[in-house]
């Protein structure tokens, strides 16, 4: 009994419980799983449309956020571009104001006045051929013009009118001056076959061979006494206040032997006669410079004139001239103009300081990479030349004040040299011209928003690697032909008298200016011209066109090589139209232009659009209901034993595809996701016994 009880408690009853539990689990396990799976199927079908709508809403939100971000970026870029354009035009106006003060149309007329009065006369300055004609022109043309005694009407001038030029408008500042440069004798070696037959040999002028000794009258030996006012005593460039001058045959130093012509016509005539009688100009003379300065108060312009006579050792006298017209006193005129000019100078100086700070910061952070972009190099050069321009302006102002003080102390009796001031003004004008040129070139940077201009800039940039070696080849060819022309035709044709004129002549042929008639004087001239035309025109120019055409084709085909700045232009246009349209609406609203009929028409159109929207929404809702009903009917449909799970899945896919083809918004975009959901659902319909 005890054994049976223990056996029942420890073995039989626990075993029954385990077996019963296992049987019950086998009985009730399948229906529970099927219910859960059917519920999951129902939830999946009911959530299909909701998921589609949620996904469409998320996509729309992401697209809206992306559009908003892109619009903000375009707005920032648009403001930056507008600031750049505004700053560019303001700077250009400031520079044009400064340039307008220096580019005066009266400069041309003053220059022409000097030519008419002193050069293109009878006898003409250009026809001087020897020493005798030099003094003849001086006494007959130069001195009566700059030291007038009578007016252009024949009346005698008053004492305060004697310092005016022949036109009675240009005031002569101090007397005129003659300055001579010579060479030392016996600088040339005579060939041994000509020794005893040639008396002396003279060499061309050069600064190392320049004569710098002191002489007596007639270039005789000096007695030891030095008189700085004597025309036979050498004075340095520092003493004379002159700078070297480049002319046709040589570059002449700033020193020399000076002869001041005095304050009156009689004194000037006496000095020139004295120089002529004592052979002040002889076989060792290489350069004679006639200098004087004028001032025209009507237009506030100075004129520095230098008439040059060169005496090369192997030819007659060669004439040239340098007439420079400039303005030294800028802030003169009307009050408004003076204020505007001072403001322009001040703003430009502040702009240079700001640009220097900006470039310094960029160099500090970027280093050498700052010079990578082309326009950064242009900005750096502009800033550097702008600083040089300011230095030149200040230096010119200081030298002008020194000359004015010297002139006041000497009471107009001594020569005051304005050559250095004219040279500084020439450099100042050159730097202004370069800055204006570079600013106008920067206008291409603003035109980068134009597709054609942008494509042109991209073409040049793409072709730069091929254009650099081509430029070297082109330069070598020109140098070769210029050297050949200088050697062969230099003695016969003036255009080929030296290398530089030969090079300039060949460059002029590219703009259609030929000198074929001159080349016919030589037998080899036509052959030279034909060979130059074949090499430079038919070969090199066609190579250049091929390089540019190939680069243009590459840029046109490759979108990545084109500029991407055109989108901002379209955005700016659209923003401008929107603002303009909004402005017109406000104006019409304030003026009450909108009529009643137009208002009713607008309301009718708004009502029609609202009705159309409601009809479309109802149609969409009906299609969604149809989709849901079909899905519910599919759930309630009894399964046939002979129907496999794959057939059930295919029927459900067909139902969903039919609904998607009925123009339900958003279903076409997520059909793959629906198929994946149905495939997951179909896996739950497989009988466990089949597994």
């Amino acid at each position: 009994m005890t054994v049976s009880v223990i056996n029942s408690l420890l073995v039989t009853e626990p075993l029954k419980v385990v077996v019963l539990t296992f049987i019950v689990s086998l009985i009730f396990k399948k229906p529970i799983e099927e219910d859960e799976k059917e519920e999951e199927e129902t939830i999946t079908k009911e959530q299909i449309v909701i998921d589609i709508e949620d996904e469409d809403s998320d996509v729309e939100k992401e697209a809206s956020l992306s559009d908003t971000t892109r619009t903000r970026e375009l707005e920032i870029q648009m403001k930056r571009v507008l600031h750049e354009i505004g700053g560019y035009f303001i700077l250009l106006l400031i520079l044009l104001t400064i340039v307008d003060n220096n580019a005066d149309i009266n400069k041309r007329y003053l220059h022409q006045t000097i030519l008419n009065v002193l050069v293109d006369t009878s006898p003409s300055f250009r026809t001087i051929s020897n020493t005798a004609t030099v003094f003849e022109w001086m006494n007959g043309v130069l001195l009566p013009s700059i030291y007038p005694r009578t007016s252009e009407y024949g009346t005698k001038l008053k004492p305060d009118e004697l310092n005016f030029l022949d036109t009675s408008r240009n005031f002569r500042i101090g007397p005129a001056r003659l300055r001579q440069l010579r060479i030392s004798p016996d600088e040339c070696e005579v060939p041994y076959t000509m020794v005893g037959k040639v008396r002396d040999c003279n060499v061309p002028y050069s600064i190392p061979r320049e004569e710098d000794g002191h002489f007596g009258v007639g270039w005789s030996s000096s007695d030891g006494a030095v008189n700085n006012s004597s025309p036979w005593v050498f004075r340095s460039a520092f003493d004379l206040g002159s700078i070297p001058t480049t002319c046709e045959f040589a570059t002449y130093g700033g020193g020399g032997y000076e002869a001041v012509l005095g304050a009156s016509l009689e004194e000037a005539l006496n000095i020139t006669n004295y120089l002529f009688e004592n052979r002040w100009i002889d076989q060792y003379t290489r350069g004679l410079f006639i200098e004087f300065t004028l001032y025209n108060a009507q237009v506030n312009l100075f004129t520095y004139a230098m008439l040059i006579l060169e005496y090369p050792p192997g030819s007659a006298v060669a004439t040239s001239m340098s007439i420079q017209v400039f303005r030294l006193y800028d802030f003169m005129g009307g009050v408004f103009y003076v204020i505007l000019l001072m403001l322009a100078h001040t703003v430009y100086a502040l702009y240079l300081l700001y640009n220097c700070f900006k470039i310094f910061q960029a160099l500090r952070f970027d280093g050498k990479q700052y010079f990578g972009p082309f326009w950064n190099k242009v900005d750096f050069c502009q800033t550097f030349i702008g600083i040089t321009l300011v230095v030149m302006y200040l230096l010119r102002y200081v030298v002008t004040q020194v000359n004015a003080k010297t002139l006041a102390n000497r009471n107009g009796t001594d020569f005051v040299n304005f050559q250095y001031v004219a040279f500084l003004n020439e450099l100042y004008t050159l730097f202004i011209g370069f800055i204006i040129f570079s600013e106008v070139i920067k206008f291409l940077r603003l035109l980068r928003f134009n597709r054609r201009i942008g494509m042109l800039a991209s073409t040049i940039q793409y072709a730069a690697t091929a254009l650099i070696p081509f430029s070297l080849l082109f330069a070598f060819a020109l140098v070769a032909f210029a050297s050949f022309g200088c050697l062969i035709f230099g003695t016969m044709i003036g255009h080929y008298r030296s290398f530089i004129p030969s090079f300039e002549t060949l460059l002029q042929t590219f703009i259609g200016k030929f000198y074929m008639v001159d080349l016919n004087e030589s037998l080899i001239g036509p052959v030279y011209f034909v060979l130059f035309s074949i090499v430079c025109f038919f070969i090199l120019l066609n190579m250049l066109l091929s390089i540019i055409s190939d680069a243009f084709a590459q840029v046109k085909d490759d979108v990545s090589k084109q500029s991407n700045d055109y989108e901002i232009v379209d955005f700016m246009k659209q923003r401008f139209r929107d603002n303009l349209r909004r402005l017109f609406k406000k104006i019409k609203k304030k003026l009450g232009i909108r009529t009643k009929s137009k208002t009713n028409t607008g309301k009718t159109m708004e009502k029609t659009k609202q009705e159309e929207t409601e009809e479309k929404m109802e149609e969409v809702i009906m299609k969604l209901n149809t989709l849901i009903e079909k899905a519910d009917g599919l759930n309630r449909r009894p399964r046939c034993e002979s129907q496999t799970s794959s057939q059930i899945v295919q029927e459900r896919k067909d139902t969903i595809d039919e609904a998607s083809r009925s123009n339900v918004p958003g279903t076409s975009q997520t059909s793959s996701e629906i198929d994946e959901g149905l495939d997951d659902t179909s896996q739950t319909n497989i009988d466990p016994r089949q597994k």
Side-chain angles (χ1 to χ4, degrees):
M1 184 69 179
T2 304
V3 174
S4 63
V5 173
I6 294 173
N7 186 28
S8 177
L9 290 175
L10 297 177
V11 179
T12 306
E13 295 299 327
L15 184 61
K16 289 180 181 179
V17 172
V18 172
V19 172
L20 182 61
T21 304
F22 179 75
I23 294 173
V24 171
S25 65
L26 290 177
I27 294 173
F28 293 100
K29 183 177 180 181
K30 183 176 181 181
I32 293 174
E33 288 182 356
E34 287 181 355
D35 290 341
E36 291 178 355
K37 291 178 181 178
E38 287 178 0
E39 184 178 359
E40 290 177 0
E41 271 186 27
T42 304
I43 294 173
T44 302
K45 292 183 175 65
E46 290 176 352
Q47 292 294 328
I48 288 175
V49 177
I50 298 174
D51 292 341
I52 291 171
E53 292 179 353
D54 292 341
E55 290 175 0
D56 290 343
S57 177
D58 294 338
V59 171
E60 290 178 358
K61 289 180 180 179
E62 292 178 359
S64 176
L65 181 60
S66 177
D67 293 341
T68 305
T69 305
R70 182 57 182 164
T71 302
R72 182 57 183 167
E73 292 176 354
L74 290 175
E75 287 179 353
I76 296 173
Q77 188 176 0
M78 180 184 68
K79 291 180 180 179
R80 185 171 62 250
V81 170
L82 292 177
H83 290 166
E84 179 184 357
I85 294 174
Y88 168 78
F89 278 106
I90 291 174
L91 179 61
L92 192 61
L93 288 176
I94 291 172
L95 289 175
L96 290 177
T97 303
I98 298 174
V99 169
D100 181 70
N101 184 57
N102 291 273
D104 196 333
I105 192 174
N106 294 293
K107 291 183 178 181
R108 170 60 185 165
Y109 291 103
L110 286 177
H111 186 277
Q112 189 63 38
T113 298
I114 301 299
L115 294 179
N116 294 336
V117 173
L118 300 177
V119 178
D120 299 329
T121 57
S122 181
S124 175
F125 174 76
R126 305 178 194 273
T127 60
I128 294 176
S129 58
N130 51 44
T131 303
T133 55
V134 169
F135 285 98
E136 181 183 353
W137 172 80
M138 284 185 186
N139 296 333
V141 176
L142 176 65
L143 298 182
S145 297
I146 62 178
Y147 295 95
R149 300 294 296 273
T150 59
S151 67
E152 54 188 346
Y153 301 105
T155 59
K156 189 175 181 180
L157 295 176
K158 299 177 182 179
D160 58 347
E161 297 176 346
L162 295 177
N163 288 336
F164 285 87
L165 200 62
D166 196 27
T167 57
S168 301
R169 295 183 181 88
N170 297 298
F171 178 78
R172 175 174 44 83
I173 302 176
R177 179 182 74 172
L178 303 180
R179 180 168 62 95
Q180 179 188 164
L181 290 170
R182 301 167 57 83
I183 59 169
S184 301
D186 302 328
E187 289 285 342
C188 178
E189 295 183 2
V190 180
Y192 70 94
T193 56
M194 294 296 174
V195 173
K197 299 178 182 179
V198 178
R199 185 178 61 182
D200 57 3
C201 179
N202 299 324
V203 295
Y205 174 86
S206 64
I207 294 179
R209 294 173 177 174
E210 183 180 80
E211 178 64 71
D212 56 357
H214 303 310
F215 297 91
V217 178
W219 303 112
S220 60
S221 298
S222 175
D223 56 0
V226 177
N227 183 9
N228 289 330
S229 62
S230 173
W232 314 99
V233 175
F234 180 84
R235 303 184 65 186
S236 65
F238 180 79
D239 296 331
L240 298 179
S242 301
I243 58 177
T245 304
T246 301
C247 301
E248 182 72 20
F249 293 94
T251 298
Y252 299 91
Y257 299 88
E258 177 191 43
V260 180
L261 296 182
S264 63
L265 178 61
E266 291 79 7
E267 187 178 357
L269 289 173
N270 292 333
I271 292 174
T272 56
N273 292 331
Y274 167 77
L275 296 176
F276 177 73
E277 293 173 356
N278 291 280
R279 297 176 60 86
W280 191 62
I281 301 175
D282 59 5
Q283 69 270 23
Y284 300 109
T285 301
R286 289 295 174 264
L288 180 63
F289 301 87
I290 306 169
E291 304 170 78
F292 58 91
T293 305
L294 305 174
Y295 175 68
N296 193 310
Q298 284 78 9
V299 291
N300 186 27
L301 290 174
F302 288 82
T303 303
Y304 172 76
M306 177 187 290
L307 306 179
I308 305 168
L309 298 168
E310 294 183 87
Y311 293 83
S315 62
V317 180
T319 60
S320 60
M321 67 201 71
S322 173
I323 302 174
Q324 301 181 46
V325 184
F326 48 91
R327 177 174 284 125
L328 297 180
Y329 301 108
D330 293 324
F331 305 108
M332 294 183 65
V335 177
F336 176 77
Y337 179 76
V338 172
I339 293 175
L340 179 63
L341 196 60
M342 294 178 66
L343 184 63
H345 282 78
T346 305
V347 172
Y348 183 68
L350 294 176
Y351 166 77
L352 286 177
L353 292 177
Y354 167 74
N355 226 22
C356 289
F357 176 76
K358 186 174 66 173
I359 292 175
F360 176 76
Q361 290 293 107
L363 290 174
R364 180 182 176 184
F365 291 104
D366 299 335
K368 295 181 180 180
Q369 296 179 356
Y370 170 79
F371 297 100
F374 172 75
W375 295 113
N376 286 355
K377 299 176 184 176
V378 174
D379 290 337
F380 181 82
C381 293
Q382 280 185 335
T383 305
F384 177 76
I385 294 178
I387 295 173
T388 309
L389 181 70
V390 174
V391 173
M392 288 295 172
Y393 180 83
L394 296 176
L395 189 60
R396 188 190 67 171
Y397 175 79
V398 172
V399 175
T400 302
Q401 297 301 317
V402 171
N403 285 351
K405 186 180 294 186
T406 303
L407 184 64
N409 294 334
R410 296 180 181 179
N411 296 322
T413 57
D414 292 337
F415 177 79
V416 179
N417 194 356
F418 278 78
Q419 183 186 12
Y420 188 55
V421 180
F423 174 72
L424 292 177
N425 182 80
E426 189 175 4
L427 290 179
Y428 177 75
T429 306
L430 178 64
F431 290 142
I432 287 182
F434 180 82
I435 290 176
I436 288 294
F437 172 79
S438 58
E439 283 295 333
V440 174
I441 289 297
K442 283 180 65 176
F443 190 72
L444 295 175
R445 187 178 183 181
L446 302 180
L447 293 180
R448 70 184 184 272
F449 302 111
N450 183 279
R451 294 182 183 275
R452 296 185 182 274
I453 299 296
M455 188 175 295
L456 176 62
S458 301
T459 300
I460 297 175
Q461 183 178 3
Y462 183 76
T465 54
L467 288 176
I468 293 175
F470 172 80
S471 301
L472 295 176
L473 177 63
F474 188 75
F476 291 154
L478 283 181
V479 168
F481 278 100
S483 302
F484 183 81
C486 174
L487 292 174
I488 301 301
F489 312 114
T491 59
M492 298 178 293
I493 304 174
H495 299 293
Y496 296 91
R497 60 188 179 274
S498 62
F499 176 77
I500 299 299
S502 300
F503 195 83
E504 294 175 352
T505 302
L506 294 179
L507 287 178
Q508 289 176 2
T509 59
F510 290 97
I511 60 175
K513 195 172 183 179
F514 301 99
Y515 297 97
M516 186 60 190
V517 178
D518 298 333
L519 292 175
N520 288 331
E521 298 179 4
S522 175
L523 180 63
I524 200 174
V527 178
Y528 171 81
F529 180 77
V530 171
L531 185 62
F532 174 77
S533 300
I534 292 174
V535 173
C536 293
F537 285 94
F538 293 100
I539 297 178
L540 294 180
L541 283 185
N542 283 302
M543 288 177 60
L544 177 63
L545 294 176
S546 300
I547 292 172
I548 295 176
S549 299
D550 180 66
F552 181 77
Q554 293 290 336
V555 171
K556 189 176 181 181
D557 294 338
D558 193 350
V559 181
S560 63
K561 295 185 178 67
Q562 299 181 17
S563 178
N564 193 24
D565 298 324
Y566 311 123
E567 184 179 0
I568 185 63
V569 178
D570 298 334
F571 178 77
M572 292 171 66
K573 289 180 180 178
Q574 185 62 36
R575 181 58 61 88
F576 176 75
R577 293 193 189 101
D578 294 342
N579 293 334
L580 195 62
R581 191 180 300 110
R582 193 177 298 111
L583 179 62
F584 284 158
K585 287 182 179 180
K586 290 182 179 179
I587 294 174
K588 288 181 179 180
K589 185 176 180 181
K590 290 182 178 181
L591 297 178
I593 299 177
R594 185 179 298 174
T595 58
K596 186 176 180 180
S597 59
K598 291 184 179 180
T599 305
N600 293 335
T601 304
K603 290 182 179 180
T604 304
M605 293 176 64
E606 292 177 359
K607 187 179 297 182
T608 304
K609 291 181 180 180
Q610 185 176 0
E611 292 176 355
E612 291 178 358
T613 304
E614 291 177 356
E615 290 177 359
K616 290 181 180 179
M617 291 296 295
E618 290 178 358
E619 183 179 357
V620 171
I621 292 172
M622 291 176 61
K623 291 179 180 179
L624 290 175
N625 290 333
T626 303
L627 177 63
I628 294 172
E629 289 175 1
K630 289 183 179 181
D632 291 338
L634 186 61
N635 285 333
R636 301 188 191 96
R637 180 177 177 181
R639 298 187 181 88
C640 298
E641 294 179 358
S642 61
Q643 191 176 19
T644 62
S645 61
S646 61
Q647 293 176 346
I648 295 173
V649 170
Q650 185 63 36
E651 288 183 1
R652 294 178 181 178
K653 286 185 177 181
D654 294 338
T655 304
I656 300 301
D657 292 338
E658 182 179 357
S660 65
R661 286 193 296 270
S662 60
N663 297 327
V664 178
T667 55
S668 60
Q669 299 178 357
T670 58
S671 59
S672 61
E673 298 177 1
I674 296 172
D675 293 340
E676 293 176 359
L678 291 175
D679 291 339
D680 294 338
T681 306
S682 63
Q683 293 177 2
T684 61
N685 295 327
I686 300 176
D687 196 308
R689 285 172 287 185
Q690 293 179 359
K691 294 182 179 179

